[in-house]
Amino acid sequence: MNQPDSKAEALTAPRERIAALRTVLAAQRLDGFILPLADEHLGEFIPDASKRLAWLTGFSGSAGSAIVLADKAALFIDGRYTLQAAQEIDAEAFEVRHFRKPPPTEWLTQQIASGARIGYDSRITSMRAADQLVAALKDVGAHAEPVIANPIDALWADRPALPLEPVELHPMEFSGRSADDKIAALSEELNAKKIDAAVLGQLDSVAWLFNVRGRDVANTPVVQSFAILRADGSADFLVDRRKLGPEIAAGLGNRARIRDISELAEALAEVASGGATIAIDPDRTNAWIRDRLVGGGATIKPLPDPTALPRARKNPVEIAGMRAAHVRDGRAMVQMLKWIGDTASTRRLTELDVVAELENIRANDPRHRGPSFDTIAGAGPNGAIVHYRPMLASNRALEAGSLLLLDSGAQYLDGTTDITRTVAIGQPSAEMKRHYTLVLKAHIAIATARFPKGATGGQLDPLARQHLWREGLDYDHGTGHGVGAYLGVHEGPQRIAVGDATKLEPGMIISNEPGLYLTDRYGIRTENLVLVRESAEIEDFLEFETITLAPYDRALIARDLLDARETAWLNAYHAQVRDTLSPQLSEANAAWLREATAAI
Ligand code: ZN
Ligand code: ZN
Protein backbone atom coordinates (compact mmCIF):
# COMPACT_ATOMS: atom_id res chain seq x y z
CA MET A 1 0.00 0.00 0.00
CA ASN A 2 1.17 3.49 -0.77
CA GLN A 3 1.32 5.67 2.29
CA PRO A 4 -0.58 8.94 1.85
CA ASP A 5 2.56 11.12 2.02
CA SER A 6 4.15 9.24 -0.88
CA LYS A 7 1.05 9.42 -3.04
CA ALA A 8 2.26 12.31 -5.18
CA GLU A 9 5.48 10.47 -5.89
CA ALA A 10 3.71 7.20 -6.61
CA LEU A 11 1.44 8.93 -9.11
CA THR A 12 4.34 9.84 -11.38
CA ALA A 13 5.10 6.14 -11.90
CA PRO A 14 2.06 5.26 -14.06
CA ARG A 15 2.75 8.26 -16.32
CA GLU A 16 6.36 7.17 -16.87
CA ARG A 17 5.32 3.56 -17.31
CA ILE A 18 2.58 4.32 -19.79
CA ALA A 19 4.97 6.53 -21.75
CA ALA A 20 7.54 3.71 -21.85
CA LEU A 21 4.86 1.27 -22.98
CA ARG A 22 3.78 3.61 -25.78
CA THR A 23 7.37 3.77 -27.02
CA VAL A 24 7.53 -0.03 -27.16
CA LEU A 25 4.16 -0.23 -28.94
CA ALA A 26 5.21 2.36 -31.51
CA ALA A 27 8.41 0.39 -32.22
CA GLN A 28 6.25 -2.67 -32.92
CA ARG A 29 3.90 -0.56 -35.09
CA LEU A 30 1.03 -1.22 -32.69
CA ASP A 31 -1.64 1.45 -32.15
CA GLY A 32 -2.69 0.07 -28.79
CA PHE A 33 -2.45 -2.74 -26.27
CA ILE A 34 -5.00 -4.62 -24.18
CA LEU A 35 -3.99 -5.70 -20.69
CA PRO A 36 -6.32 -7.92 -18.64
CA LEU A 37 -5.64 -8.91 -15.01
CA ALA A 38 -4.90 -12.56 -15.70
CA ASP A 39 -2.17 -15.14 -16.04
CA GLU A 40 -1.66 -18.11 -18.35
CA HIS A 41 -4.13 -20.23 -16.34
CA LEU A 42 -7.03 -17.73 -16.36
CA GLY A 43 -7.92 -18.50 -12.74
CA GLU A 44 -9.34 -16.36 -9.97
CA PHE A 45 -6.05 -15.75 -8.15
CA ILE A 46 -2.73 -15.01 -9.82
CA PRO A 47 0.87 -14.74 -8.60
CA ASP A 48 2.47 -11.31 -8.07
CA ALA A 49 4.61 -11.78 -11.18
CA SER A 50 1.43 -11.68 -13.28
CA LYS A 51 -0.05 -8.55 -11.71
CA ARG A 52 0.97 -6.43 -14.69
CA LEU A 53 -2.18 -4.34 -14.48
CA ALA A 54 -1.25 -3.15 -10.98
CA TRP A 55 2.29 -2.34 -12.12
CA LEU A 56 1.09 -0.30 -15.08
CA THR A 57 -1.85 1.51 -13.53
CA GLY A 58 -1.38 1.43 -9.74
CA PHE A 59 -4.82 -0.20 -9.38
CA SER A 60 -4.65 -3.07 -6.87
CA GLY A 61 -8.22 -4.46 -7.14
CA SER A 62 -8.83 -8.10 -7.98
CA ALA A 63 -10.61 -7.55 -11.30
CA GLY A 64 -10.07 -5.11 -14.14
CA SER A 65 -8.41 -4.49 -17.47
CA ALA A 66 -6.70 -1.63 -19.27
CA ILE A 67 -6.49 -0.46 -22.86
CA VAL A 68 -3.60 1.80 -23.78
CA LEU A 69 -3.79 3.75 -27.05
CA ALA A 70 -1.34 6.31 -28.42
CA ASP A 71 -3.23 9.32 -27.06
CA LYS A 72 -5.49 7.90 -24.35
CA ALA A 73 -5.80 5.04 -21.91
CA ALA A 74 -8.66 3.58 -19.92
CA LEU A 75 -8.95 1.32 -16.89
CA PHE A 76 -12.12 -0.82 -16.83
CA ILE A 77 -13.47 -1.84 -13.43
CA ASP A 78 -16.74 -2.92 -11.87
CA GLY A 79 -18.82 -0.88 -9.44
CA ARG A 80 -17.27 -2.28 -6.25
CA TYR A 81 -13.91 -0.71 -7.15
CA THR A 82 -15.07 2.83 -7.96
CA LEU A 83 -13.83 4.27 -4.66
CA GLN A 84 -10.59 2.31 -4.65
CA ALA A 85 -9.78 3.25 -8.25
CA ALA A 86 -10.37 6.93 -7.51
CA GLN A 87 -7.83 6.67 -4.69
CA GLU A 88 -5.24 4.68 -6.62
CA ILE A 89 -5.44 5.93 -10.21
CA ASP A 90 -3.71 8.94 -11.72
CA ALA A 91 -6.59 10.49 -13.64
CA GLU A 92 -4.12 12.22 -15.96
CA ALA A 93 -2.87 8.83 -17.13
CA PHE A 94 -6.02 6.69 -17.10
CA GLU A 95 -9.68 7.32 -17.55
CA VAL A 96 -11.56 5.03 -15.12
CA ARG A 97 -14.55 3.39 -16.78
CA HIS A 98 -17.24 0.89 -15.77
CA PHE A 99 -16.58 -2.41 -17.55
CA ARG A 100 -20.12 -2.64 -18.92
CA LYS A 101 -20.71 0.96 -19.98
CA PRO A 102 -19.66 0.16 -22.67
CA PRO A 103 -17.60 -3.07 -22.51
CA PRO A 104 -13.85 -2.58 -23.18
CA THR A 105 -13.86 -4.02 -26.72
CA GLU A 106 -16.83 -1.86 -27.71
CA TRP A 107 -15.12 1.23 -26.28
CA LEU A 108 -11.98 0.26 -28.18
CA THR A 109 -13.76 -0.06 -31.51
CA GLN A 110 -15.20 3.44 -31.00
CA GLN A 111 -11.74 4.93 -30.48
CA ILE A 112 -9.71 3.45 -33.31
CA ALA A 113 -9.51 4.08 -37.05
CA SER A 114 -9.80 1.48 -39.78
CA GLY A 115 -6.46 -0.26 -40.28
CA ALA A 116 -5.41 0.11 -36.62
CA ARG A 117 -3.29 -2.71 -35.16
CA ILE A 118 -4.07 -3.54 -31.53
CA GLY A 119 -1.78 -5.86 -29.57
CA TYR A 120 -2.94 -8.45 -27.06
CA ASP A 121 -1.18 -11.21 -25.14
CA SER A 122 -2.71 -14.52 -26.26
CA ARG A 123 -1.14 -16.29 -23.24
CA ILE A 124 -3.38 -14.40 -20.82
CA THR A 125 -6.48 -14.24 -23.03
CA SER A 126 -8.97 -17.08 -23.27
CA MET A 127 -9.62 -18.69 -26.65
CA ARG A 128 -13.16 -17.30 -26.62
CA ALA A 129 -12.12 -13.78 -25.61
CA ALA A 130 -9.40 -13.73 -28.29
CA ASP A 131 -11.85 -14.85 -30.99
CA GLN A 132 -14.35 -12.19 -29.94
CA LEU A 133 -11.66 -9.51 -29.99
CA VAL A 134 -10.43 -10.51 -33.45
CA ALA A 135 -14.01 -10.48 -34.80
CA ALA A 136 -14.92 -7.13 -33.19
CA LEU A 137 -11.84 -5.38 -34.56
CA LYS A 138 -12.33 -6.95 -37.98
CA ASP A 139 -15.83 -5.44 -38.05
CA VAL A 140 -14.32 -1.95 -37.91
CA GLY A 141 -11.49 -2.76 -40.32
CA ALA A 142 -8.86 -3.06 -37.57
CA HIS A 143 -6.58 -5.94 -36.59
CA ALA A 144 -5.92 -7.76 -33.29
CA GLU A 145 -2.28 -8.85 -33.16
CA PRO A 146 -1.00 -11.40 -30.62
CA VAL A 147 2.32 -10.08 -29.28
CA ILE A 148 5.29 -12.45 -29.12
CA ALA A 149 6.19 -11.31 -25.59
CA ASN A 150 4.15 -9.20 -23.20
CA PRO A 151 5.65 -5.69 -23.53
CA ILE A 152 5.17 -5.02 -19.81
CA ASP A 153 7.67 -7.73 -18.86
CA ALA A 154 10.61 -5.96 -20.50
CA LEU A 155 9.71 -2.67 -18.77
CA TRP A 156 8.99 -4.09 -15.31
CA ALA A 157 12.49 -3.93 -13.80
CA ASP A 158 11.73 -5.43 -10.39
CA ARG A 159 9.13 -7.94 -11.54
CA PRO A 160 8.80 -10.64 -8.85
CA ALA A 161 9.94 -14.15 -9.72
CA LEU A 162 7.35 -16.83 -10.37
CA PRO A 163 6.62 -18.83 -7.21
CA LEU A 164 8.68 -21.96 -6.50
CA GLU A 165 6.64 -23.38 -3.64
CA PRO A 166 6.94 -27.15 -3.23
CA VAL A 167 4.21 -29.40 -4.62
CA GLU A 168 2.38 -31.58 -2.10
CA LEU A 169 0.50 -34.80 -2.77
CA HIS A 170 -3.17 -34.69 -1.79
CA PRO A 171 -3.41 -38.16 -0.24
CA MET A 172 -6.16 -40.75 -0.74
CA GLU A 173 -7.21 -40.04 2.85
CA PHE A 174 -8.57 -36.71 1.55
CA SER A 175 -8.98 -37.18 -2.22
CA GLY A 176 -10.74 -40.55 -2.07
CA ARG A 177 -9.75 -41.42 -5.62
CA SER A 178 -6.37 -42.06 -7.22
CA ALA A 179 -4.95 -40.04 -10.09
CA ASP A 180 -4.69 -43.28 -12.08
CA ASP A 181 -8.40 -43.88 -11.67
CA LYS A 182 -9.32 -40.31 -12.68
CA ILE A 183 -7.05 -40.38 -15.74
CA ALA A 184 -8.40 -43.78 -16.84
CA ALA A 185 -12.02 -42.65 -16.55
CA LEU A 186 -11.47 -39.38 -18.42
CA SER A 187 -9.49 -41.18 -21.16
CA GLU A 188 -12.45 -43.44 -21.76
CA GLU A 189 -14.65 -40.39 -22.22
CA LEU A 190 -12.20 -38.98 -24.77
CA ASN A 191 -12.25 -42.30 -26.61
CA ALA A 192 -16.02 -42.36 -26.65
CA LYS A 193 -16.04 -38.88 -28.22
CA LYS A 194 -13.28 -39.80 -30.71
CA ILE A 195 -10.98 -37.17 -29.26
CA ASP A 196 -7.24 -37.85 -29.09
CA ALA A 197 -6.38 -35.57 -26.17
CA ALA A 198 -7.52 -32.71 -23.97
CA VAL A 199 -5.34 -29.85 -22.74
CA LEU A 200 -6.08 -28.44 -19.29
CA GLY A 201 -4.88 -24.97 -18.40
CA GLN A 202 -6.72 -24.18 -15.19
CA LEU A 203 -4.94 -24.88 -11.98
CA ASP A 204 -7.80 -26.44 -10.04
CA SER A 205 -8.41 -28.89 -12.91
CA VAL A 206 -4.78 -29.99 -12.96
CA ALA A 207 -4.56 -30.20 -9.15
CA TRP A 208 -7.71 -32.33 -8.99
CA LEU A 209 -6.59 -34.67 -11.81
CA PHE A 210 -3.18 -35.48 -10.32
CA ASN A 211 -4.13 -35.17 -6.63
CA VAL A 212 -1.55 -32.44 -6.04
CA ARG A 213 -1.75 -29.19 -4.12
CA GLY A 214 0.58 -26.22 -3.77
CA ARG A 215 0.97 -22.64 -2.63
CA ASP A 216 1.66 -20.77 -5.85
CA VAL A 217 -1.25 -18.32 -5.57
CA ALA A 218 -3.17 -16.80 -2.69
CA ASN A 219 -6.29 -18.47 -1.27
CA THR A 220 -6.37 -21.56 -3.53
CA PRO A 221 -3.93 -24.43 -2.89
CA VAL A 222 -2.77 -24.97 -6.46
CA VAL A 223 0.43 -25.41 -8.45
CA GLN A 224 1.24 -23.48 -11.63
CA SER A 225 1.03 -26.28 -14.16
CA PHE A 226 -0.71 -27.69 -17.23
CA ALA A 227 -2.03 -31.13 -18.09
CA ILE A 228 -2.34 -33.03 -21.35
CA LEU A 229 -4.74 -35.93 -21.03
CA ARG A 230 -4.63 -38.55 -23.79
CA ALA A 231 -7.16 -41.06 -25.05
CA ASP A 232 -4.50 -43.78 -24.63
CA GLY A 233 -4.90 -43.49 -20.86
CA SER A 234 -1.81 -41.43 -20.12
CA ALA A 235 -1.39 -37.83 -18.98
CA ASP A 236 1.43 -35.27 -18.87
CA PHE A 237 1.85 -33.12 -15.77
CA LEU A 238 3.77 -30.04 -16.92
CA VAL A 239 5.26 -28.30 -13.91
CA ASP A 240 8.49 -26.59 -12.89
CA ARG A 241 10.55 -29.61 -11.79
CA ARG A 242 12.25 -27.56 -9.09
CA LYS A 243 8.98 -27.71 -7.13
CA LEU A 244 8.98 -31.49 -6.94
CA GLY A 245 10.39 -33.59 -4.11
CA PRO A 246 11.21 -37.28 -4.75
CA GLU A 247 7.91 -38.43 -3.24
CA ILE A 248 5.88 -36.72 -5.96
CA ALA A 249 6.91 -38.90 -8.90
CA ALA A 250 6.30 -42.01 -6.78
CA GLY A 251 2.93 -40.75 -5.55
CA LEU A 252 1.48 -39.69 -8.90
CA GLY A 253 0.73 -43.26 -9.98
CA ASN A 254 1.41 -45.11 -13.22
CA ARG A 255 -0.42 -43.04 -15.79
CA ALA A 256 1.05 -39.58 -15.18
CA ARG A 257 4.31 -38.44 -16.70
CA ILE A 258 6.12 -35.41 -15.30
CA ARG A 259 7.51 -32.93 -17.80
CA ASP A 260 9.09 -29.57 -17.11
CA ILE A 261 6.76 -26.64 -17.76
CA SER A 262 9.38 -25.17 -20.11
CA GLU A 263 8.53 -28.02 -22.52
CA LEU A 264 4.92 -26.91 -22.96
CA ALA A 265 5.32 -25.71 -26.56
CA GLU A 266 7.05 -28.97 -27.50
CA ALA A 267 4.46 -31.08 -25.74
CA LEU A 268 1.64 -29.25 -27.56
CA ALA A 269 3.37 -29.76 -30.91
CA GLU A 270 3.75 -33.49 -30.17
CA VAL A 271 0.15 -34.04 -29.20
CA ALA A 272 -1.10 -32.00 -32.18
CA SER A 273 0.96 -33.88 -34.76
CA GLY A 274 -0.69 -36.14 -37.32
CA GLY A 275 -3.86 -34.08 -37.38
CA ALA A 276 -5.00 -35.06 -33.88
CA THR A 277 -8.36 -33.93 -32.55
CA ILE A 278 -7.82 -32.00 -29.32
CA ALA A 279 -10.48 -30.84 -26.86
CA ILE A 280 -10.02 -27.52 -25.11
CA ASP A 281 -12.41 -25.46 -23.03
CA PRO A 282 -12.68 -22.09 -24.83
CA ASP A 283 -13.30 -20.21 -21.59
CA ARG A 284 -10.69 -21.96 -19.48
CA THR A 285 -7.80 -22.29 -21.95
CA ASN A 286 -5.62 -19.49 -23.27
CA ALA A 287 -5.56 -18.64 -26.96
CA TRP A 288 -1.81 -19.23 -27.23
CA ILE A 289 -2.34 -22.95 -26.48
CA ARG A 290 -5.03 -23.18 -29.14
CA ASP A 291 -2.81 -21.38 -31.64
CA ARG A 292 0.10 -23.75 -30.94
CA LEU A 293 -2.15 -26.77 -31.37
CA VAL A 294 -3.60 -25.49 -34.62
CA GLY A 295 -0.10 -24.59 -35.81
CA GLY A 296 0.95 -28.17 -35.07
CA GLY A 297 -1.81 -29.56 -37.28
CA ALA A 298 -4.50 -30.31 -34.70
CA THR A 299 -8.23 -29.98 -35.13
CA ILE A 300 -9.70 -28.17 -32.12
CA LYS A 301 -12.87 -29.44 -30.51
CA PRO A 302 -14.21 -26.80 -28.09
CA LEU A 303 -15.67 -28.67 -25.12
CA PRO A 304 -16.24 -27.92 -21.43
CA ASP A 305 -13.30 -28.84 -19.21
CA PRO A 306 -13.65 -32.65 -18.81
CA THR A 307 -12.61 -32.50 -15.13
CA ALA A 308 -15.32 -29.99 -14.19
CA LEU A 309 -18.24 -32.34 -13.61
CA PRO A 310 -16.39 -35.23 -11.96
CA ARG A 311 -14.63 -32.68 -9.73
CA ALA A 312 -17.93 -31.06 -8.80
CA ARG A 313 -19.50 -34.39 -7.80
CA LYS A 314 -17.65 -34.99 -4.55
CA ASN A 315 -16.92 -38.61 -3.65
CA PRO A 316 -17.75 -40.03 -0.18
CA VAL A 317 -14.23 -39.36 1.16
CA GLU A 318 -14.34 -35.73 0.00
CA ILE A 319 -17.83 -35.31 1.46
CA ALA A 320 -16.66 -36.69 4.81
CA GLY A 321 -13.69 -34.29 4.70
CA MET A 322 -15.89 -31.32 3.87
CA ARG A 323 -18.23 -32.19 6.74
CA ALA A 324 -15.33 -32.56 9.19
CA ALA A 325 -13.77 -29.27 8.06
CA HIS A 326 -17.11 -27.54 8.58
CA VAL A 327 -17.40 -28.82 12.15
CA ARG A 328 -14.00 -27.33 12.97
CA ASP A 329 -14.75 -24.14 11.05
CA GLY A 330 -18.05 -23.88 12.94
CA ARG A 331 -16.13 -24.09 16.21
CA ALA A 332 -13.92 -21.21 15.01
CA MET A 333 -16.98 -19.19 13.98
CA VAL A 334 -18.58 -19.62 17.42
CA GLN A 335 -15.40 -18.31 19.05
CA MET A 336 -15.37 -15.44 16.55
CA LEU A 337 -19.02 -14.44 16.96
CA LYS A 338 -18.72 -14.53 20.76
CA TRP A 339 -15.53 -12.46 20.58
CA ILE A 340 -17.22 -9.81 18.42
CA GLY A 341 -20.14 -9.53 20.85
CA ASP A 342 -17.92 -9.39 23.93
CA THR A 343 -15.31 -7.04 22.50
CA ALA A 344 -17.47 -4.60 20.53
CA SER A 345 -19.35 -3.73 23.72
CA THR A 346 -16.16 -2.91 25.66
CA ARG A 347 -13.77 -1.27 23.21
CA ARG A 348 -13.51 0.23 19.74
CA LEU A 349 -13.27 -2.51 17.12
CA THR A 350 -12.61 -2.08 13.42
CA GLU A 351 -13.18 -4.27 10.39
CA LEU A 352 -9.45 -5.03 10.20
CA ASP A 353 -9.43 -6.13 13.86
CA VAL A 354 -12.16 -8.62 12.98
CA VAL A 355 -10.23 -9.93 9.96
CA ALA A 356 -7.06 -10.43 12.03
CA GLU A 357 -8.84 -12.13 14.94
CA LEU A 358 -10.69 -14.53 12.66
CA GLU A 359 -7.47 -15.54 10.94
CA ASN A 360 -5.84 -16.11 14.36
CA ILE A 361 -8.69 -18.28 15.59
CA ARG A 362 -8.77 -20.43 12.46
CA ALA A 363 -4.98 -20.79 12.42
CA ASN A 364 -5.19 -22.81 15.67
CA ASP A 365 -6.44 -25.76 13.62
CA PRO A 366 -3.52 -27.99 12.58
CA ARG A 367 -5.19 -28.68 9.23
CA HIS A 368 -5.69 -24.97 8.47
CA ARG A 369 -3.83 -23.77 5.37
CA GLY A 370 -5.05 -20.16 5.17
CA PRO A 371 -8.07 -18.22 3.94
CA SER A 372 -10.07 -19.37 0.90
CA PHE A 373 -10.54 -15.73 -0.18
CA ASP A 374 -9.89 -12.28 1.26
CA THR A 375 -12.25 -11.83 4.21
CA ILE A 376 -15.12 -9.42 3.68
CA ALA A 377 -15.83 -7.58 6.94
CA GLY A 378 -18.21 -4.76 6.02
CA ALA A 379 -19.33 -2.51 8.87
CA GLY A 380 -22.34 -0.23 8.36
CA PRO A 381 -22.36 1.22 4.82
CA ASN A 382 -19.31 -0.86 3.82
CA GLY A 383 -21.50 -3.95 4.15
CA ALA A 384 -23.55 -2.66 1.22
CA ILE A 385 -20.54 -2.91 -1.13
CA VAL A 386 -20.69 -6.46 -2.51
CA HIS A 387 -17.21 -8.10 -2.43
CA TYR A 388 -15.89 -5.27 -0.26
CA ARG A 389 -12.57 -6.04 1.36
CA PRO A 390 -11.40 -3.80 4.21
CA MET A 391 -8.18 -1.87 3.68
CA LEU A 392 -6.55 0.87 5.71
CA ALA A 393 -8.16 3.63 3.65
CA SER A 394 -11.68 2.26 4.07
CA ASN A 395 -11.44 0.59 7.50
CA ARG A 396 -14.51 1.40 9.61
CA ALA A 397 -15.24 0.97 13.30
CA LEU A 398 -18.12 -1.26 14.41
CA GLU A 399 -20.61 1.24 15.81
CA ALA A 400 -23.56 0.61 18.09
CA GLY A 401 -26.80 0.32 16.15
CA SER A 402 -25.09 -0.90 12.97
CA LEU A 403 -24.69 -4.20 11.16
CA LEU A 404 -21.51 -6.12 10.40
CA LEU A 405 -21.45 -8.38 7.35
CA LEU A 406 -18.72 -11.00 7.80
CA ASP A 407 -18.03 -13.28 4.81
CA SER A 408 -14.98 -15.50 5.13
CA GLY A 409 -13.67 -18.95 4.44
CA ALA A 410 -10.73 -21.21 5.03
CA GLN A 411 -8.68 -23.86 3.33
CA TYR A 412 -8.16 -27.02 5.39
CA LEU A 413 -6.38 -30.17 4.20
CA ASP A 414 -9.74 -31.96 4.25
CA GLY A 415 -12.02 -29.23 2.91
CA THR A 416 -12.82 -25.66 1.92
CA THR A 417 -15.29 -23.40 3.74
CA ASP A 418 -17.20 -20.22 2.87
CA ILE A 419 -19.61 -18.70 5.39
CA THR A 420 -21.36 -15.36 5.82
CA ARG A 421 -22.99 -14.15 8.99
CA THR A 422 -24.51 -10.70 9.49
CA VAL A 423 -24.50 -9.56 13.10
CA ALA A 424 -26.02 -6.63 14.94
CA ILE A 425 -23.65 -4.40 16.88
CA GLY A 426 -25.75 -3.17 19.84
CA GLN A 427 -29.48 -2.74 19.22
CA PRO A 428 -30.70 -3.23 15.63
CA SER A 429 -33.58 -1.15 14.26
CA ALA A 430 -36.94 -2.70 13.37
CA GLU A 431 -36.14 -2.15 9.69
CA MET A 432 -32.82 -4.00 10.00
CA LYS A 433 -34.66 -6.93 11.57
CA ARG A 434 -37.27 -6.93 8.82
CA HIS A 435 -34.63 -6.88 6.09
CA TYR A 436 -32.51 -9.53 7.82
CA THR A 437 -35.50 -11.83 8.20
CA LEU A 438 -36.45 -11.48 4.53
CA VAL A 439 -32.94 -12.59 3.60
CA LEU A 440 -33.19 -15.44 6.11
CA LYS A 441 -36.46 -16.56 4.50
CA ALA A 442 -34.71 -16.62 1.12
CA HIS A 443 -31.86 -18.64 2.65
CA ILE A 444 -34.25 -21.12 4.30
CA ALA A 445 -36.12 -21.51 1.00
CA ILE A 446 -32.94 -22.88 -0.60
CA ALA A 447 -31.94 -24.92 2.46
CA THR A 448 -35.31 -26.69 2.43
CA ALA A 449 -35.77 -26.93 -1.33
CA ARG A 450 -36.74 -30.27 -2.83
CA PHE A 451 -36.55 -30.69 -6.60
CA PRO A 452 -36.77 -33.38 -9.27
CA LYS A 453 -33.58 -34.88 -10.68
CA GLY A 454 -32.53 -32.81 -13.67
CA ALA A 455 -33.49 -29.48 -12.11
CA THR A 456 -30.97 -26.68 -12.65
CA GLY A 457 -29.60 -23.95 -10.41
CA GLY A 458 -31.41 -21.49 -12.65
CA GLN A 459 -34.73 -23.07 -11.67
CA LEU A 460 -33.95 -22.85 -7.95
CA ASP A 461 -32.75 -19.25 -7.87
CA PRO A 462 -36.24 -17.65 -7.74
CA LEU A 463 -37.17 -19.83 -4.74
CA ALA A 464 -34.84 -17.58 -2.75
CA ARG A 465 -35.52 -14.31 -4.53
CA GLN A 466 -39.32 -14.49 -4.26
CA HIS A 467 -39.17 -13.41 -0.61
CA LEU A 468 -37.37 -10.18 -1.56
CA TRP A 469 -39.23 -9.61 -4.83
CA ARG A 470 -42.52 -9.64 -2.94
CA GLU A 471 -41.29 -6.55 -1.06
CA GLY A 472 -39.87 -4.86 -4.16
CA LEU A 473 -36.31 -5.83 -3.16
CA ASP A 474 -33.55 -7.88 -4.86
CA TYR A 475 -29.82 -8.56 -4.85
CA ASP A 476 -27.40 -8.13 -7.73
CA HIS A 477 -25.47 -11.41 -7.47
CA GLY A 478 -26.07 -15.12 -7.84
CA THR A 479 -27.63 -17.08 -4.98
CA GLY A 480 -24.94 -19.77 -4.96
CA HIS A 481 -21.63 -20.96 -6.42
CA GLY A 482 -19.91 -24.34 -6.41
CA VAL A 483 -17.10 -24.92 -3.92
CA GLY A 484 -14.08 -27.23 -4.23
CA ALA A 485 -12.75 -29.76 -1.72
CA TYR A 486 -9.46 -28.20 -0.53
CA LEU A 487 -9.49 -26.37 -3.86
CA GLY A 488 -11.12 -23.25 -5.31
CA VAL A 489 -13.80 -21.54 -3.22
CA HIS A 490 -15.48 -20.65 -6.53
CA GLU A 491 -15.79 -23.74 -8.67
CA GLY A 492 -18.03 -24.59 -11.60
CA PRO A 493 -19.95 -25.74 -13.37
CA GLN A 494 -22.96 -25.67 -11.03
CA ARG A 495 -24.41 -22.43 -9.67
CA ILE A 496 -27.69 -21.19 -8.27
CA ALA A 497 -28.17 -18.18 -10.50
CA VAL A 498 -30.65 -16.71 -12.96
CA GLY A 499 -30.53 -18.68 -16.20
CA ASP A 500 -27.96 -21.25 -15.06
CA ALA A 501 -28.50 -24.47 -17.02
CA THR A 502 -26.26 -26.92 -15.15
CA LYS A 503 -28.20 -29.80 -13.61
CA LEU A 504 -27.67 -30.24 -9.90
CA GLU A 505 -26.37 -33.71 -9.05
CA PRO A 506 -25.80 -35.64 -5.83
CA GLY A 507 -22.39 -34.86 -4.34
CA MET A 508 -22.23 -31.29 -5.60
CA ILE A 509 -21.49 -28.67 -2.97
CA ILE A 510 -22.84 -25.19 -3.49
CA SER A 511 -23.29 -22.01 -1.49
CA ASN A 512 -26.67 -20.66 -0.36
CA GLU A 513 -26.12 -16.92 -0.02
CA PRO A 514 -28.97 -14.51 -0.70
CA GLY A 515 -28.42 -10.93 0.44
CA LEU A 516 -29.73 -7.40 0.52
CA TYR A 517 -27.72 -4.20 0.12
CA LEU A 518 -28.84 -0.69 0.99
CA THR A 519 -26.34 1.77 -0.41
CA ASP A 520 -24.76 4.02 2.23
CA ARG A 521 -26.63 2.17 5.00
CA TYR A 522 -25.91 -1.54 5.47
CA GLY A 523 -25.56 -4.91 3.82
CA ILE A 524 -27.05 -8.26 4.81
CA ARG A 525 -26.05 -11.73 3.60
CA THR A 526 -26.51 -15.18 5.08
CA GLU A 527 -24.38 -17.96 3.63
CA ASN A 528 -24.06 -21.68 4.27
CA LEU A 529 -22.69 -24.42 2.04
CA VAL A 530 -25.10 -27.17 1.10
CA LEU A 531 -24.57 -30.66 -0.31
CA VAL A 532 -26.90 -32.01 -2.99
CA ARG A 533 -28.24 -35.45 -1.96
CA GLU A 534 -31.03 -37.87 -2.88
CA SER A 535 -34.26 -37.12 -1.07
CA ALA A 536 -34.78 -39.56 1.77
CA GLU A 537 -38.55 -39.47 1.26
CA ILE A 538 -39.30 -39.09 -2.45
CA GLU A 539 -37.85 -41.19 -5.21
CA ASP A 540 -36.08 -39.33 -8.02
CA PHE A 541 -36.06 -36.10 -6.05
CA LEU A 542 -33.05 -34.27 -4.68
CA GLU A 543 -32.61 -32.00 -1.69
CA PHE A 544 -29.87 -30.12 0.15
CA GLU A 545 -28.04 -30.98 3.34
CA THR A 546 -26.60 -27.87 5.01
CA ILE A 547 -23.01 -28.57 6.07
CA THR A 548 -22.05 -25.14 7.48
CA LEU A 549 -22.54 -24.98 11.24
CA ALA A 550 -22.81 -21.60 12.94
CA PRO A 551 -25.64 -19.67 14.61
CA TYR A 552 -27.58 -16.84 12.99
CA ASP A 553 -27.93 -13.67 15.06
CA ARG A 554 -31.23 -14.14 16.93
CA ALA A 555 -31.29 -10.41 17.74
CA LEU A 556 -31.91 -9.78 14.04
CA ILE A 557 -34.76 -12.23 13.53
CA ALA A 558 -38.29 -10.82 13.34
CA ARG A 559 -40.21 -13.90 14.52
CA ASP A 560 -43.54 -12.83 13.15
CA LEU A 561 -42.17 -12.78 9.60
CA LEU A 562 -41.30 -16.49 9.70
CA ASP A 563 -43.99 -19.07 9.07
CA ALA A 564 -44.24 -22.27 11.13
CA ARG A 565 -42.20 -24.33 8.69
CA GLU A 566 -39.38 -21.75 8.56
CA THR A 567 -39.35 -21.44 12.34
CA ALA A 568 -39.17 -25.22 12.70
CA TRP A 569 -36.23 -25.38 10.27
CA LEU A 570 -34.41 -22.57 12.08
CA ASN A 571 -34.85 -24.18 15.50
CA ALA A 572 -33.79 -27.61 14.19
CA TYR A 573 -30.69 -26.11 12.51
CA HIS A 574 -29.72 -24.26 15.68
CA ALA A 575 -30.18 -27.45 17.70
CA GLN A 576 -27.94 -29.30 15.26
CA VAL A 577 -25.28 -26.56 15.49
CA ARG A 578 -25.44 -26.72 19.30
CA ASP A 579 -25.36 -30.52 19.54
CA THR A 580 -22.53 -30.91 17.03
CA LEU A 581 -20.25 -28.12 18.21
CA SER A 582 -20.77 -28.04 21.98
CA PRO A 583 -18.62 -31.10 22.78
CA GLN A 584 -15.69 -29.30 21.10
CA LEU A 585 -16.11 -25.96 22.85
CA SER A 586 -14.81 -24.52 26.09
CA GLU A 587 -17.45 -24.15 28.82
CA ALA A 588 -17.71 -20.38 28.21
CA ASN A 589 -18.14 -20.81 24.44
CA ALA A 590 -20.63 -23.66 24.92
CA ALA A 591 -22.67 -21.49 27.30
CA TRP A 592 -22.67 -18.65 24.76
CA LEU A 593 -23.77 -21.08 22.03
CA ARG A 594 -26.63 -22.40 24.18
CA GLU A 595 -28.08 -18.89 24.34
CA ALA A 596 -27.28 -18.12 20.70
CA THR A 597 -29.16 -21.21 19.54
CA ALA A 598 -32.12 -21.17 21.95
CA ALA A 599 -35.38 -21.91 20.18
CA ILE A 600 -37.38 -18.90 19.01
ZN1 ZN B 1 -18.83 -16.22 1.13
ZN1 ZN C 1 -19.74 -17.71 -1.31
Side-chain angles (χ1 to χ4, degrees), residues 373 407 418 420 481 483 489-490 511 513 527 529:
F373 59 96
D407 185 355
D418 180 6
T420 310
H481 56 84
V483 176
V489 75
H490 297 126
S511 70
E513 53 178 310
E527 178 181 23
L529 299 192

